[in-house]
Amino acid sequence: MNPLHALVDAIEHFDRLDGVAAAVSKAVGKAVQPRSVRNTLSGTLLGHPLHPVLTDFPIGAWSMATLLDAVGGPASEPAADILVAAGIATAVPTAAAGLNDWSDTQGKSRRVGLVHAAANGTALCLFSSSAVARASGNRAAGRALGLAGFGVLMFGGFLGGHLVFANTVNVNKTAGRTGPRQWTPVLAESELADGAHRKVDAGKVSVLLYRSGSKVQALDSVCSHMGGPLDEGTIADGCVTCPWHGSTFRLDDGHIVRGPATTPQPSYEARVNEGQIEVRRRG
């Protein structure tokens, strides 16, 4: 096994991290509870997770500072110092968005995410110390601390990539879930009472049906955020709320009312035809 993969595997199975992770996750969950905070840090308004967008700023700034320290010479020292400071400034909101996303994880992803956060926090401390050394005129120490910070940052970035590409953390769980284009019977009208909801199969996907009077609404039953079962969620005020992390979607069109989801829920047209409820994909 690749040594890095072996290390990640060891982290994933190191369950002694669970106690610390649970305590930190609980504290983060309370901090991001307000809807405006949750939507902002999740990237709900952006339509894309915010954390990976923000990571480009500190990683880019610190990478370029390290490069200038290595090959730029005396003329590039002011630019390197500015880049170190820029990385420090942008690392704080990046960490806040990352902690928000991490608080929704469980098991091995939570363990890897905790170490990922610790590595990036260490990099921030090292670059902050580098900035202090540079400001005091100790250029050699500043460069050494920056180089150490860059090494830790790359390890943290590797763990972040593993979370997304190996563990599929915070990716759209409805991507590739395509319902039928043609009207497809899914349930007898008599089996869905007014105010009731049901999970049904529509071709290769499962769909949540909700009935209000003569109107039937239909959404993909798998939450786009982390794959939670919307059919087990609560329905109120024309919306359904995922039981796992509280993402709330409008039943009419799948629009996100509250994060952490960043991708609208796929919605379906629904009708009653000859005693059968039928659905088809929109568009």
Side-chain angles (χ1 to χ4, degrees):
M1 182 183 291
N2 179 298
L4 278 174
H5 290 168
L7 176 59
V8 173
D9 184 69
I11 295 171
E12 288 181 335
H13 292 88
F14 191 57
D15 57 10
R16 292 186 180 181
L17 293 173
D18 291 350
V20 175
V24 175
S25 179
K26 183 178 180 180
V28 173
K30 289 182 179 180
V32 302
Q33 185 62 34
R35 187 170 84 173
S36 60
V37 175
R38 188 68 152 155
N39 284 358
T40 299
L41 292 179
S42 297
T44 299
L45 301 179
L46 182 65
H48 182 287
L50 181 62
H51 180 62
V53 175
L54 294 181
T55 59
D56 289 351
F57 291 99
I59 291 175
W62 286 339
S63 296
M64 290 302 98
T66 303
L67 179 63
L68 290 178
D69 281 344
V71 301
S76 67
E77 289 176 357
D81 295 349
I82 291 173
L83 286 167
V84 168
I88 293 169
T90 55
V92 176
T94 301
L99 285 170
N100 170 75
D101 293 350
W102 170 79
S103 67
D104 294 328
T105 60
Q106 296 290 335
K108 63 182 183 180
S109 294
R110 175 174 283 189
R111 295 167 194 152
V112 173
L114 183 66
V115 178
H116 166 71
N120 290 338
T122 301
L124 174 59
C125 291
L126 287 167
F127 274 106
S128 297
S129 299
S130 174
V132 171
R134 292 164 193 265
S136 64
N138 193 342
R139 178 66 51 180
R143 286 197 298 266
L145 288 165
L147 182 61
F150 178 73
V152 177
L153 181 70
M154 290 299 97
F155 176 63
F158 174 80
L159 293 180
H162 179 83
L163 286 169
V164 175
F165 297 112
N167 292 352
T168 66
V169 171
N170 213 24
V171 300
N172 177 16
K173 295 301 190 293
T174 60
R177 286 177 58 86
T178 304
R181 286 186 177 275
Q182 306 298 323
W183 286 113
T184 302
V186 292
L187 187 71
E189 179 188 10
S190 59
E191 295 184 44
L192 189 65
D194 184 17
H197 66 275
R198 285 277 299 272
K199 175 184 173 181
V200 297
D201 292 326
K204 296 181 180 180
V205 302
S206 54
V207 173
L208 168 68
L209 297 179
Y210 175 74
R211 184 168 186 172
S212 177
S214 61
K215 184 179 182 180
V216 179
Q217 297 160 304
L219 296 180
D220 194 304
S221 70
V222 173
C223 180
S224 63
H225 173 234
M226 286 282 194
L230 291 186
D231 54 290
E232 297 178 15
T234 57
I235 294 178
D237 301 321
C239 298
V240 58
T241 299
C242 180
W244 284 8
H245 305 112
S247 293
T248 303
F249 306 93
R250 247 183 356 221
L251 287 164
D252 264 341
D253 54 12
H255 175 80
I256 303 169
V257 175
R258 183 186 188 279
T262 59
T263 302
Q265 197 66 12
S267 65
Y268 292 82
E269 295 181 82
R271 72 179 185 184
V272 176
N273 183 39
E274 297 182 353
Q276 293 287 317
I277 297 174
E278 300 178 341
V279 300
R280 71 176 179 184
R281 194 168 79 227
R282 294 187 186 275

